[in-house]
Amino acid sequence: MTPPPGAGRPVVTFGQPETYDDQGRPRPLRARLRGRTVAAAGCVVLGLGLIGGAVTGSWLTGDSGTDGERGTFAAAADLWHSVPVDQLFPPTVRGDGAGPGGSDRTWTRIAVAPDSGCAGAFDPLLGKVLAPVGCERLLRATYTDATQSYVTTVGLLFTDADAEGMRSLDDRFENEDLGSRTDLVPRPYAAKGTAAAGFTTEQRATWTVSVLTDAPVVVYAVSGWADARTVDEPQPAEAAMASGATTAPAQAGLGHETKGLADRIERGLRKNVTSPTERPS
């Protein structure tokens, strides 16, 4: 009987190809592919996490981001009536490293103004500069330092402007150097029976104005001495903080008082905003 075709031939089967590990030992390709798949999935998860973190970080740092910023911009507009005053203007604000030479500062809130419109809240010329963005609401609080030697009013002007309007105002402050003009100094908020009772326009020593472009808010601060001494010419906080500055406000560290407190109130504002989709129902 004739054997069927192929009979007697050796049977050959193909196993999984092998690669080798670091010590020269065989390693199946399947295991290598599985390891690469897991690694690739891990990279995807890590990448998504970094993207999500970048979106959140863009709001906290004030950097430009994606379309999600439109949501945070709108959410920030509601903070004046949706967030308790103690979160916008905490009773105590710590300023680690905020003082001259990196010294620590602590500010205590001594007065909160009733939320209001902007009528009479600014000198006429500053009011004219801010007019294009409108005034939805103005919130103000006055603080004193740990020694009660200085007083600082911080303001949050919630505007009616959209993102383009805020960018336009920011560009104007930058291009025309409006933040250093002594005829555009914000007014303080003085409260009877407090260390700021005598804090009027004549006592303004240093100030700062920050126009946010990722929120419809203008943050400002103005400082002076608690003993109600008058100041012939106020000095921008940045100039008073400059190395070698010899003016009385600079020597007293009032530039640091102004800028340090304003920056921390601004940071608190950013921490209080959430995307509309993240808000509890």
Side-chain angles (χ1 to χ4, degrees):
M1 182 179 226
T2 304
R9 294 179 182 177
V11 178
V12 179
T13 61
F14 293 92
Q16 292 292 332
E18 293 183 335
T19 57
Y20 296 88
D21 61 19
D22 293 339
Q23 299 180 5
R25 293 174 302 190
R27 181 175 60 186
L29 179 61
R30 180 180 300 171
R32 184 181 67 170
L33 293 176
R34 183 167 55 247
R36 288 183 176 178
T37 302
V38 172
C43 290
V44 171
V45 172
L46 177 59
L48 291 175
L50 291 174
I51 293 172
V55 171
T56 302
S58 68
W59 165 250
L60 293 176
T61 61
D63 295 333
S64 296
T66 63
D67 291 344
E69 284 194 355
R70 285 195 289 269
T72 59
F73 189 96
D78 295 332
L79 291 181
W80 69 267
H81 63 77
S82 63
V83 174
V85 67
D86 282 354
Q87 289 180 230
L88 294 175
F89 297 120
T92 302
V93 177
R94 291 184 55 85
D96 295 341
S103 59
D104 297 337
R105 313 299 289 173
T106 301
W107 298 281
T108 301
R109 193 185 70 199
I110 56 177
V112 176
D115 61 315
S116 65
C118 293
F122 300 106
D123 287 353
L125 190 55
L126 180 56
K128 184 177 180 180
V129 170
L130 296 173
V133 295
C135 176
E136 173 66 22
R137 216 66 176 173
L138 177 63
L139 309 183
R140 294 169 292 170
T142 298
Y143 289 78
T144 186
D145 70 308
T147 65
Q148 296 192 354
S149 300
Y150 316 115
V151 285
T152 302
T153 292
V154 186
L156 297 174
L157 167 60
F158 288 82
T159 76
D160 295 320
D162 57 13
E164 183 178 354
M166 295 304 293
R167 286 193 295 269
S168 178
L169 180 63
D170 181 57
D171 287 342
R172 187 179 178 194
F173 263 81
E174 180 71 22
N175 296 334
E176 300 179 27
D177 198 22
L178 300 185
S180 63
R181 284 179 46 170
T182 56
D183 55 353
L184 296 176
V185 182
R187 287 180 177 174
Y189 173 65
K192 294 181 180 179
T194 72
F199 192 20
T200 65
T201 56
E202 288 76 19
Q203 280 74 45
R204 295 177 292 186
T206 62
W207 81 97
T208 185
V209 177
S210 176
V211 179
L212 307 189
T213 56
D214 52 359
V217 182
V218 177
V219 183
Y220 68 85
V222 55
S223 296
W225 279 274
D227 61 8
R229 75 182 69 176
T230 59
V231 178
D232 293 334
E233 185 173 354
Q235 185 176 27
E238 293 286 356
M241 295 169 63
S243 176
T246 59
T247 62
Q251 293 294 306
L254 280 170
H256 292 82
E257 295 290 321
T258 307
K259 186 68 172 157
L261 184 55
D263 284 351
R264 281 150 184 82
I265 294 299
E266 180 180 328
R267 293 177 197 174
L269 174 78
R270 295 181 183 281
K271 290 179 181 178
N272 276 300
V273 74
T274 57
S275 169
T277 58
E278 295 174 344
R279 288 185 177 180
S281 57

